[in-house]
Amino acid sequence: MAFIIRAQNVSFCYSEGESKSPPVLKDINLQFEKGEFIGIIGHNGSGKSTLAKHFNALLLPTKGNVYVKDMDTKDAKHLWDIRQTAGLVFQNPDNQIVAAIVEEDVAFGPENLGIPPEEIRKRVEYALKAVGMWEYKDFPPHMLSGGQKQRVAIAGIIAMKPECIVLDEPTAMLDPIGRREVISTIKKLNKEEGITVILITHFMEEVVDADRVIVMDDGKVVLDGTPKEVFKEVEVLKKIGLDVPQVTELAHQLRKEGIDIPSDILTIEEMVEFICR
Amino acid sequence: MFRNITIGQYVPGDSAIHKLDPRVKIIITFIFIIAIFFINKFSGYIFAMLYLWLVIRISKIPFSYVLKGLRPVIVILLLTVSLNMFFTPGGTVLYTLGPLKITSAGLKFAVFMGLRLIFLIIGTSLLTLTTSPISLTDGIEHILKPFSKIGVPAHELAMMMTIALRFIPTLIEEAEKIMKAQMARGADFESGNIVNRARGLVPLLVPLFISAFRRADELAIAMESRCYRGGHNRTRMKKLEVHTRDYAALFITGVIVVLIVWNRSWAW
Ligand SMILES: Nc1ncnc2c1ncn2[C@@H]1O[C@H](COP(=O)(O)OP(=O)(O)OP(=O)(O)O)[C@@H](O)[C@H]1O
Ligand SMILES: [Mg+2]
């Protein structure tokens, strides 16, 4: 099986030597398959952003190795290939849009890769259409809503034709409508374009239909499995200060009251289906 | 308070002047400025006036709008004119005001200088009125590019201008937000003397600066992860192309310059 990203025994400290800080990542082992939709959750400070930055060589492991398509992130000659293969989308859309016009911002990545102008045009069109922002190509970013800005930021990554996008809390600063826009865009890219998605989030609802959910706590991976396997562990999740989807919580409470209900109910539909049976 | 700040004073449009290649427009503006300094008699201004009139008509920008560009420099204009008027010796004395004398030579020279300034300002403001800041940036980058071999940071300058254009509206929005938050807590930005008002700005500027630095930091990381590595090996999506209209514009400008230079040797 071809892994798009592999982390092998990865440990990381922000500063080394004299003023050595405690490790933020502790012996992490992870493998992501091509085309997977992976959710990463964990409370504040658990090391999610730090891990995300390892996936495109913005940070290099203190111990261990990260491989992107078998390229070692420590190998400087692959740096640009790695960053083109695994694109990173950040939390604040305002601080990742570079140009004063939407289409020029989407062109920024391909321009950096030295792609010929005609090909850049095609890619910009493809990327903006993929996120549903083509009509806004001539807009200045500050005239867009938060959700629209974040979709432009995603288009900026898509235009580099990555095989994998890592999104670090892309919806944290958005209102519910913006959040829905962004999440459905990400899901569409995963399904229709076959792009591997790694979604870091605080919202459990966003990962209930992921292929795989990873739970981080204090720099370690504590749970790793399908959403059903992970959210079943209500007690473990609560202990590390995480919520479970509301419906799962309800099912959990009902079970505690002695009602015979499966513990792996994640969505309202599943709940309705179970109750009406 | 900040809403009415516009960057440059670009008036969107699709006239032939708007569509000219920004490089050509910048170069033409320079040629025009230099030509203005070659004018040595009043009749020379007729050509410059004709030229500006033609440009304004084609660009479809209202005259009133063009004249508005003079407003911020009116003080400098008046100062220059009056200094020249009172302190140029020679000619017959036309009017005496205490120790100050207005001479015929002084009056002539003052009007001459005033006209020169007005033409300069209108000429340059026509550039910014008809060129969006973004294509202006592109134009500057392309014009400077040949000089990057001798150490002119053409790409870096253009990137800085682009980022400034991108973030000015964002920072203005943020300043307004901070101001409203401070006003809700009783801060007063509008009354008091100038010292008090300046002091009142401190609680606005400090958070604004802190946030600007944080933004810069995040933007740098985002740019790096989008494979930014300076101007080296970088291509551009938008290619600047010189069309027939650009050659036409250069030709007309050339004719005006020739007339202005020729005019120097006329008798009147
Ligand atoms: N640039 C840095 N220098 C030093 N320490 C840092 C730096 N960035 C993060 N840390 C520390 O590393 C730890 C993990 O931070 P990280 O940002 O990876 O967490 P996170 O899971 O993304 O949290 P959040 O949910 O708040 O985004 C925190 O304890 C934080 O204080
Ligand atoms: Mg984070």
Side-chain angles (χ1 to χ4, degrees):
Chain A
M1 194 68 222
F3 293 111
I4 183 94
I5 292 177
R6 265 186 307 147
Q8 260 176 10
N9 309 98
V10 171
S11 297
F12 180 78
C13 306
Y14 269 102
S15 53
E16 281 182 286
E18 303 252 316
S19 59
K20 194 169 166 31
S21 62
V24 175
L25 298 179
K26 298 166 187 166
D27 198 29
I28 295 215
N29 282 290
L30 285 170
Q31 293 173 329
F32 301 133
E33 275 169 35
K34 234 177 123 60
E36 266 190 313
F37 190 119
I38 300 128
I40 299 183
I41 55 179
H43 69 82
N44 296 92
S46 56
K48 306 181 297 293
S49 301
T50 309
L51 183 63
K53 285 182 183 152
H54 277 76
F55 293 154
N56 79 347
L58 282 172
L59 293 175
L60 299 176
T62 313
K63 271 197 226 104
N65 294 90
V66 175
Y67 298 95
V68 175
K69 279 217 309 188
D70 291 322
M71 294 177 285
D72 190 338
T73 56
K74 282 180 180 164
D75 191 345
K77 74 169 184 285
H78 291 314
L79 184 63
W80 308 110
D81 276 338
I82 287 170
R83 292 203 175 147
Q84 190 256 312
T85 307
L88 206 45
V89 176
F90 298 88
Q91 180 174 350
N92 189 341
D94 262 329
N95 298 353
Q96 50 189 323
I97 294 178
V98 183
I101 292 286
V102 165
E103 67 169 353
E104 293 201 3
D105 183 72
V106 177
F108 180 74
E111 286 177 341
N112 291 335
L113 296 173
I115 289 162
E118 303 75 37
E119 169 70 12
I120 297 181
R121 283 222 169 270
K122 278 189 213 142
R123 286 190 180 200
V124 168
E125 182 173 345
Y126 152 78
L128 279 173
K129 283 183 174 161
V131 301
M133 288 294 290
W134 178 241
E135 309 86 81
Y136 295 91
K137 70 182 169 73
D138 295 319
F139 272 57
H142 67 96
M143 308 259 277
L144 304 177
S145 73
Q148 290 174 326
K149 274 188 260 191
Q150 196 60 288
R151 275 148 68 200
V152 170
I154 293 173
I157 300 296
I158 299 294
M160 299 200 299
K161 298 244 162 136
E163 292 175 46
C164 173
I165 347 179
V166 184
L167 303 106
D168 189 358
E169 301 190 39
T171 58
M173 306 188 72
L174 307 181
D175 57 12
I177 297 169
R179 224 152 77 201
R180 223 172 304 135
E181 286 171 11
V182 169
I183 292 298
S184 66
T185 304
I186 298 170
K187 284 183 178 159
K188 180 173 156 252
L189 290 172
N190 177 249
K191 293 235 160 54
E192 291 174 14
E193 313 292 328
I195 297 171
T196 312
V197 169
I198 301 174
L199 174 64
I200 296 171
T201 184
H202 274 289
F203 300 101
M204 306 301 147
E205 283 74 16
E206 293 176 0
V207 295
V208 289
D209 47 7
D211 295 314
R212 188 172 156 199
V213 174
I214 288 162
V215 181
M216 288 191 59
D217 183 44
D218 191 25
K220 291 189 292 269
V221 173
V222 286
L223 291 170
D224 180 354
T226 63
K228 282 193 189 301
E229 288 164 359
V230 166
F231 288 120
K232 212 162 52 183
E233 310 286 339
V234 179
E235 300 299 333
V236 180
L237 290 172
K238 289 222 160 145
K239 207 165 72 202
I240 60 174
L242 284 178
D243 282 331
V244 294
Q246 279 176 354
V247 185
T248 315
E249 170 75 26
L250 178 63
H252 180 70
Q253 295 294 342
L254 289 172
R255 263 174 80 82
K256 274 211 286 200
E257 297 298 321
I259 296 169
D260 182 26
I261 186 167
S263 56
D264 61 355
I265 286 183
L266 296 180
T267 61
I268 296 174
E269 288 77 42
E270 284 175 336
M271 182 64 117
V272 169
E273 201 176 300
F274 176 77
I275 293 173
C276 297
R277 215 168 32 207
Chain B
M1 169 178 184
F2 294 108
R3 281 281 166 230
N4 41 23
I5 300 177
T6 48
I7 320 157
Q9 356 139 22
Y10 176 54
V11 182
D14 60 352
S15 72
I17 304 283
H18 283 83
K19 283 190 210 140
L20 284 181
D21 186 303
R23 292 170 297 181
V24 172
K25 267 193 274 190
I26 294 170
I27 290 169
I28 283 180
T29 308
F30 266 102
I31 295 176
F32 179 74
I33 290 173
I34 294 167
I36 291 286
F37 281 96
F38 271 95
I39 295 177
N40 66 346
K41 53 178 83 69
F42 281 106
S43 57
Y45 284 119
I46 293 172
F47 301 114
M49 200 153 78
L50 209 71
Y51 181 71
L52 285 183
W53 177 80
L54 193 70
V55 173
I56 296 172
R57 281 306 295 270
I58 297 173
S59 70
K60 298 203 184 74
I61 289 177
F63 274 96
S64 60
Y65 217 93
V66 177
L67 293 179
K68 244 196 256 169
L70 290 174
R71 203 185 288 161
V73 286
I74 206 131
V75 178
I76 298 177
L77 199 63
L78 286 177
L79 203 72
T80 316
V81 170
S82 39
L83 281 179
N84 280 304
M85 190 154 66
F86 291 121
F87 297 108
T88 313
T92 50
V93 176
L94 299 174
Y95 189 80
T96 331
L97 189 92
L100 301 171
K101 281 197 282 284
I102 299 178
T103 61
S104 61
L107 187 65
K108 195 177 155 209
F109 193 61
V111 174
F112 199 82
M113 286 304 285
L115 280 176
R116 181 176 280 179
L117 262 177
I118 291 172
F119 277 80
L120 271 181
I121 292 157
I122 292 182
T124 40
S125 65
L126 275 175
L127 174 67
T128 51
L129 282 168
T130 61
T131 319
S132 75
I134 294 163
S135 44
L136 211 52
T137 306
D138 276 352
I140 292 172
E141 177 172 13
H142 279 89
I143 288 176
L144 290 182
K145 201 180 268 169
F147 302 102
S148 57
K149 285 199 186 66
I150 55 163
V152 177
H155 165 74
E156 286 76 6
L157 272 174
M159 188 49 95
M160 272 163 56
M161 279 169 68
T162 303
I163 292 172
L165 288 173
R166 155 72 188 83
F167 277 91
I168 285 169
T170 308
L171 290 177
I172 288 175
E173 218 168 89
E174 184 157 33
E176 278 180 343
K177 232 185 262 170
I178 296 171
M179 245 170 107
K180 283 200 191 113
Q182 308 277 25
M183 267 147 79
R185 291 186 232 155
D188 184 2
F189 292 105
E190 259 124 43
S191 59
N193 61 24
I194 205 150
V195 177
N196 278 339
R197 265 204 252 180
R199 200 175 293 152
L201 281 180
V202 172
L204 170 69
L205 292 178
V206 169
L208 197 61
F209 265 90
I210 292 174
S211 125
F213 277 104
R214 204 197 53 239
R215 283 180 193 283
D217 200 35
E218 282 183 22
L219 184 71
I221 293 175
M223 285 169 72
E224 232 182 284
S225 76
R226 287 167 79 182
C227 296
Y228 181 66
R229 49 196 131 159
H232 187 63
N233 266 347
R234 202 172 129 80
T235 48
R236 297 305 307 270
M237 173 175 71
K238 281 196 183 140
K239 274 187 298 190
L240 292 180
E241 276 165 356
V242 181
H243 294 97
T244 321
R245 58 169 172 265
D246 297 304
Y247 291 118
L250 281 170
F251 177 74
I252 295 170
T253 312
V255 170
I256 295 291
V257 170
V258 168
L259 285 174
I260 284 174
V261 173
W262 184 31
N263 167 269
R264 289 172 65 84
S265 57
W266 294 4
W268 43 274

